[in-house]
Amino acid sequence: MDIQNPKFVCRDVRVHYGDFEALHGINIDIADRGVTAFIGPSGCGKSTFLRTFNRMNDTIEGARVSGSVTMDGQDIYDKGLDPVLLRARVGMVFQKPNPFPKSIYDNVAYGPKIHGMTSGKAEMDALVERSLRRAGLWEEVKDRLKIAGTGLSGGQQQRLVIARAIAVNPEVILMDEPASALDPIATAKLEALIQELKERYCIIIVTHSMAQAARVSDKTAFFYMGDLIEYDATEKIFTNPGDTRTQDYITGRTG
Amino acid sequence: MASSSHIQNSEALETETKRESQLAAERAKKHLKSRRAREWRFKLWGRAAVLFALASLIWLLFSLAGTGFTAFQQNFMTLDVELTESVISPDGTRDPQELRGANYRRVLQETMYDLFPEVTERRERRDLFALTSASGATHQIRLMVYNDPSLIGQTVTLTVPTSDNVDQLLKGYIDRDLPESLRKVSNEQIVWIDSLKKRGIIKKKFNTILFTHPDSRDPELAGIAGAVVGSIMIVVIAFLLALPIGVGSALYLDEFAPKNKWTDLIEININNLAAVPSIVFGLLGLAIFINFMGLSRSIPLVGGMVLALRAFPTIVVATRAALRSVGPGIVNGALSLGASHTQSVFQQKLPLAAPGILTGSIIAMAQVLGETAPLLMIGMVAFVTEVPNSVTDPSTALPVQIFLWSDSAERAWSERTAAAIIILLVILILMNGLAIWLRNRLEKRR
């Protein structure tokens, strides 16, 4: 599929865990704006692939990445590139909400603090408010910024984690099954938020829910057994897939 | 035809299924009996085990309390002592040198003799004088006069402990019905003691000496102050050394060290260190700190360093367990925001592991407080009659003090031994309580 001005260009990306090859040479371009969904059965390598974009695989013992991943034309696996700076540009939201056991304010302020992004309390206050507003959480928590982030509901926690990621001004937000621990109402709120965020950020989302992929994404990639089977506009994938394996998966015959 | 056979078949299938499920239900019913019996037996064993543990504890506490509590009270004599100038400073110069060495024993003897004017014989007078704690009382008078020579010639009221035998008799530990030759207190002495008691000169009071005095040859003058101060110094030194080294090692091994056979070897050996008999640490301390580094024997500094080695593996193991109990979510969250590995460990993981680390450290310190064997090896078993002022003063420790007292012959020591054990246990319970309180407090902050 042709994509104009791609954010990421991946060529022959392979990931090994020890002797096991989890991804067998993935080639994909990811659009600069909008939502790209990765779908596929458990163990197909979609989460592993997601973690190559912010080099979180580096933290896993025995994981090796080969091939090339470029972001805006720059190789993110370049030896001279510090993954710490990459992760400031590529934020991540995990499956299980993981706010720090600190106040809501400190959760959002943590990222800007470690990168030295603000000077003075007023600037930090403004940044915290802006991030919480963009994550759609401000109205719910503005009067209790000092309470622990872990005291919020699951859906609020997940939006707090998004606010925390937004605070460091990333260009990309990776989401690894962000709604799998949430109830339908919280999921709906989260999906609405994703729709708003895609105007500003490049969003890549891994999901087990095909309905969710169909609702929120613009493009969908189907992974199976470590291979990228099909990658196309979401509408095309869900109405007229080009591969029988994709067809079997989205109609519920496999996976 | 075909349809009727089909109906017959389905009827046969139904009856067969019914029969099978009935059979299964009967078997399950029978089996249920033995399952319940097994459950009941298990519960019984559990209750018996808990009861046994509880009974042992209660027995220990009661036997300690029974022997030990009487040591918290002691019989004292209130004496009006006349500080006769002709005895203390015969030439009247009141020279400080002279005042230090004056015959205060004589002063005290005169006081005792005055209580029973009818006693005149030399041997009898000696027995009468033996009722008071001579060395403690003379020391008290000496201090008084030396500090304020103007008291000479006046009569002062003093409260001095009775001798340990008087105390034991009045507490009922010496049997009055025994033949005199088998008793530590003579018939005459019993008459005098009863008379003094009746006159209100001997009274039972709270035994402050037990808490404020260091060790002594005389049971009535012995206390645990020296041992407690020594123990505190040892625990503080061990804590200050073992906590940073232990937490540092655990952090490095868990978070930063490469995983290879060398770190595996180190890990195994740290775990082995926890199982090394404590007396071996004493030998190690003797060899390194005393023979090689040339530090003195019997000092809390060496004791603290030796017991830091003892506490080190416990703290490492507790710290690693606490670090591992922090889920990967928090660390991943910090990493995904662009925190470096070091930042995520120190800013997110370590604070969450802190309650566990602290609890483990306090438990380790409780071990240190109760440790005896290594201290024997480095000479902390010495008889020290002064409260240590610094970590390089000779000292002893509370468990060693208990060991020393338990070895002494007089009856009065056994109640003091039990009392010292009670005090040690109270301190240990307080430390464990502190650990629980701290953990709850820190966990609430999460």
Side-chain angles (χ1 to χ4, degrees), chain A residues 40-103:
Chain A
S42 295
C44 68
K46 56 193 188 303
S47 288
T48 297
F49 189 50
L50 189 75
R51 284 198 301 266
T52 59
F53 292 103
N54 66 344
R55 291 186 58 174
M56 280 298 273
N57 282 328
D58 292 15
T59 65
I60 296 170
E61 190 102 9
R64 259 179 312 119
V65 179
S66 62
S68 91
V69 181
T70 61
M71 180 180 180
D72 296 330
Q74 186 192 10
D75 183 1
I76 64 171
Y77 282 86
D78 190 281
K79 283 224 158 33
L81 185 125
D82 192 336
V84 161
L85 293 178
L86 172 72
R87 290 184 198 135
R89 294 170 66 194
V90 184
M92 188 165 192
V93 176
F94 297 83
Q95 185 173 354
K96 212 174 141 228
N98 60 350
F100 302 130
K102 298 177 171 178
S103 71

Side-chain angles (χ1 to χ4, degrees), chain A residues 56 59 61 84 87 90 92 94 98-102 110 114-115 164-165, chain B residues 259 329-330 332-340 343 347-348 352 445-446:
Chain A
M56 280 298 273
T59 65
E61 190 102 9
V84 161
R87 290 184 198 135
V90 184
M92 188 165 192
F94 297 83
N98 60 350
F100 302 130
K102 298 177 171 178
Y110 181 70
I114 57 174
H115 292 293
R164 185 176 77 182
Chain B
K259 303 275 176 284
I330 298 298
N332 280 341
L335 287 177
S336 75
L337 289 171
S340 66
Q343 278 174 324
Q347 294 171 355
Q348 302 296 348
L352 281 180
R445 273 208 335 227
R446 288 191 184 187

Side-chain angles (χ1 to χ4, degrees), chain B residues 394-411:
Chain B
S395 168
T396 179
L398 202 42
V400 180
Q401 188 72 75
I402 290 168
F403 170 74
L404 283 171
W405 284 0
S406 72
D407 219 21
S408 305
E410 282 96 336
R411 181 65 187 72

